[in-house]
């Protein structure tokens, strides 16, 4: 028997990147990726949400390698990715009718559903839980890869535990170089934040993690109310999240991150400029995350050393913010800023998922512009 510990991996493995941009890949390359998985190795791959770190979901040793490569607590379950609806039956006890409706409406797509697992799924894959989260990603490279690998890929986001999820193959390389043999490079992902997780193992259908598929979209298909797990935003200390991953600090940049909220985008931008000025005056390097439309508030400051402005997409377009968020957080880490101020965003549509990630990245630190406070009482 071969025993390899994670340290051995860290220092000796060469990580190769195979380019598969614009959904074009050779059958030969895909077979190679599939073979690595069938041999119990790990391969990172693109999905429409974020990059995944894939291993054979039905092989407990492969799941163990995933936890080691990410430095992830082993009680945090992995999502199993499939490429065909018919693959679902083998890994779960049963599929409720309502889940079939959601699959019909949203698969392939950014929706994970949790069911009671069958015995073929090892406990190592589900972090010891009797349930399994399953998703069919909407990305040609992901679907081709899952099929070539035998149909069941366990994959968390391909970042080191605690860092922002990867939205580019370069991000995966930053975190996984030396730890895995292969990364499939599909270019930039389309959505930029992780899938919505819906639970079918409780009394009510509930959302365990918000994502691109919103509560309203789910309710429209189901024709009934969907509850949101009270622990989703991690505000209450008593609420124990049903998705174990939601209890860990996530998406955290190295700098102190504050969200700035106010009555109008202009007032927020002005408040942020004032805060930036104060930070620069004390010798801090300051990062600003703001939609492009509000850059003008900083025009008087641009020349100052230590101020870095980054565009988080466009005002009123939360999808563009979702797409930029993790990349911008990673860039600020690289540029070693001390403090970051981010605009807050609307909570409609995908904005809810964006704010969920941002609030957690900020560790709930929110600054409210004065007139906003007065208005809210
Ligand atoms: O979009 C996504 O979902 C990406 C891509 C790669 O598919 N994956 C992803 O995986 O975000 P990860 O491991 O970073 O996050 C999975 C989350 C964790 O919070 C975990 O606790 C939860 O899903 N989860 C997985 N299986 C679960 C289960 N059986 N019951 C409750 N929560 C579960
Ligand atoms: Mg993750």
């Amino acid at each position: 028997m071969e025993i390899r510990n994670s340290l051995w991996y860290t220092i000796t493995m060469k990580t190769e990147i195979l380019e598969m941009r614009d959904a074009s890949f050779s059958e030969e390359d895909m077979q190679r990726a599939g073979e690595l998985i069938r041999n119990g190795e790990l391969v990172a791959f693109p999905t429409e949400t974020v990059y995944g770190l894939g291993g054979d979901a039905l092989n407990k040793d492969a799941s163990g390698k995933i936890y080691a490569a990410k430095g992830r607590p082993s009680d945090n379950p992995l999502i199993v990715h499939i490429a065909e609806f018919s693959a679902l039956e083998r890994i779960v006890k049963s599929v409720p009718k309502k889940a079939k409706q959601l699959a019909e409406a949203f698969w392939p797509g950014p929706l994970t559903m949790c069911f009671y697992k069958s015995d073929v799924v090892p406990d190592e894959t589900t972090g010891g839980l009797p349930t399994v989260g399953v998703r069919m990603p909407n990305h040609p490279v992901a679907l081709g890869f899952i099929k070539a690998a035998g149909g069941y890929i366990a994959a968390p986001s391909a970042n080191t535990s605690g860092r922002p999820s990867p939205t580019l193959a370069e991000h995966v390389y930053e975190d996984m170089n030396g730890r895995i043999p292969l990364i499939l490079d599909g270019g930039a992902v389309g959505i930029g934040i992780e899938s919505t997780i819906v639970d079918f193992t409780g009394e009510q259908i509930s959302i365990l993690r918000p994502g691109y598929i919103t509560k309203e979209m789910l309710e429209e298909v189901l024709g009934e109310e969907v509850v949101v797990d009270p622990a989703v935003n991690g505000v209450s200390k008593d609420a124990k999240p049903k998705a174990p991953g939601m209890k860990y600090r996530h998406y955290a940049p190295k700098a102190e991150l504050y969200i700035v909220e106010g009555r109008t985008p202009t007032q927020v931008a002005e408040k942020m400029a004032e805060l930036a000025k104060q930070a620069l005056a004390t010798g801090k390097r300051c990062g600003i995350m703001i939609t492009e439309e509000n850059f003008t508030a900083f025009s008087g400051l641009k020349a100052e050393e230590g101020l870095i402005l980054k565009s988080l997409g466009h005002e009123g377009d939360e999808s563009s913010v979702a797409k930029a968020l993790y990349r911008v957080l990673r860039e600020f880490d690289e540029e070693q800023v001390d403090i970051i101020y981010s605009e807050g965003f609307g909570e409609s549509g995908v904005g809810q998922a964006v704010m969920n990630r941002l609030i957690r990245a900020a560790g709930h630190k929110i600054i409210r512009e004065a007139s906003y406070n007065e208005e809210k009482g």
Side-chain angles (χ1 to χ4, degrees):
M1 196 179 92
E2 224 180 348
I3 297 176
R4 297 166 164 187
N5 64 37
S6 52
L7 187 64
W8 184 90
Y9 264 101
T10 312
I11 52 185
T12 64
M13 188 170 285
K14 179 166 178 342
T15 301
E16 197 184 330
I17 301 179
L18 278 178
E19 210 195 283
M20 299 187 168
R21 304 254 173 115
D22 306 318
S24 77
F25 51 84
S26 73
E27 200 43 42
E28 198 189 326
D29 280 351
M30 206 48 110
Q31 284 310 320
R32 232 183 93 202
E35 199 182 311
L36 280 168
I37 296 293
R38 281 183 264 114
N39 289 335
E41 297 294 340
L42 308 185
V43 175
F45 63 103
T47 81
E48 80 280 36
T49 56
V50 299
Y51 273 77
L53 176 60
D56 181 353
L58 309 187
N59 174 346
K60 68 176 170 50
D61 296 330
S63 294
K65 281 186 187 176
I66 292 176
Y67 290 107
K70 274 185 69 92
R72 175 175 175 125
S74 60
D75 70 342
N76 192 359
L78 308 173
I79 293 172
V80 177
H81 296 67
I82 57 176
E84 279 154 1
F85 185 77
S86 59
L88 184 58
E89 222 166 274
R90 193 171 156 220
I91 55 171
V92 304
K93 286 243 158 83
S94 69
V95 183
K97 204 172 127 229
K98 298 267 179 185
K100 284 186 189 145
Q101 286 174 354
L102 291 187
E104 227 160 82
F106 301 116
W107 276 2
L111 175 72
T112 296
M113 291 191 275
C114 298
F115 307 101
Y116 283 101
K117 76 175 188 72
S118 75
D119 294 339
V120 301
V121 183
D123 289 338
E124 284 76 2
T125 299
T126 63
L129 291 180
T131 59
V132 61
V134 188
R135 165 164 124 81
M136 190 192 296
N138 186 16
H139 193 294
V141 172
L143 294 169
F145 168 60
I146 295 164
K147 283 181 196 157
Y152 300 96
I153 293 288
S157 49
N159 51 288
T160 305
S161 206
R163 292 210 72 201
S165 297
T167 56
L168 292 169
E170 287 80 354
H171 299 160
V172 180
Y173 190 77
E174 269 169 35
D175 287 12
M176 293 297 149
N177 181 23
R179 300 179 187 216
I180 61 172
L182 185 65
I183 299 169
L184 307 182
D185 178 358
V189 300
I191 293 177
I193 54 172
E194 307 85 346
S195 61
T196 306
I197 303 181
V198 173
D199 182 39
F200 277 94
T201 69
E203 273 168 29
Q204 275 173 293
I205 304 173
S206 63
I207 297 175
L208 306 187
R209 177 176 74 182
Y212 192 79
I213 309 278
T214 62
K215 174 174 151 72
E216 291 72 27
M217 288 159 81
L218 296 166
E219 286 173 344
E220 197 181 315
V221 172
L222 294 171
E224 68 176 90
E225 204 204 333
V226 175
V227 299
V228 179
D229 186 31
V232 154
N233 284 320
V235 184
S236 153
K237 285 203 175 62
D238 310 325
K240 183 173 175 284
K242 199 164 175 188
M246 299 293 281
K247 73 173 178 272
Y248 295 107
R249 183 161 184 229
H250 261 59
Y251 326 113
K254 290 173 192 151
E256 286 270 302
L257 168 62
Y258 292 88
I259 300 168
V260 182
E261 291 189 336
R263 213 150 40 84
T264 66
T266 314
Q267 276 170 337
V268 169
E270 278 163 8
K271 178 73 186 171
M272 286 170 78
E274 183 193 316
L275 290 164
K277 216 183 273 177
Q278 286 166 10
L280 295 171
T282 60
K284 286 188 176 147
R285 284 170 63 77
C286 178
I288 296 290
M289 294 163 52
I290 197 159
T291 49
E292 261 169 53
E293 288 75 7
N294 294 310
F295 269 38
T296 46
F298 295 84
S299 50
L301 278 171
K302 259 183 197 160
E304 298 258 9
E305 218 183 316
L307 178 72
I308 305 175
L309 279 182
K310 285 190 190 289
S311 156
L312 261 191
H314 297 283
E315 198 183 311
D317 176 5
E318 277 78 25
S319 297
S320 69
V321 179
K323 208 166 165 171
L325 181 64
Y326 288 148
R327 174 181 49 75
V328 166
L329 288 174
R330 275 180 182 260
E331 287 173 3
F332 276 135
D333 273 355
E334 241 161 66
E335 291 166 69
Q336 303 188 328
V337 295
D338 303 300
I339 195 159
I340 305 172
Y341 294 110
S342 174
E343 195 180 345
F345 300 94
E347 300 240 1
S348 67
V350 69
Q352 198 191 0
V354 167
M355 282 309 285
N356 170 266
R357 307 311 193 268
L358 194 56
I359 287 170
R360 289 153 54 82
H364 296 272
K365 296 193 295 295
I366 302 177
I367 295 169
R368 295 198 165 84
E369 181 263 329
S371 67
Y372 191 55
N373 277 346
E374 282 156 23
E375 196 171 82
K376 281 202 160 174

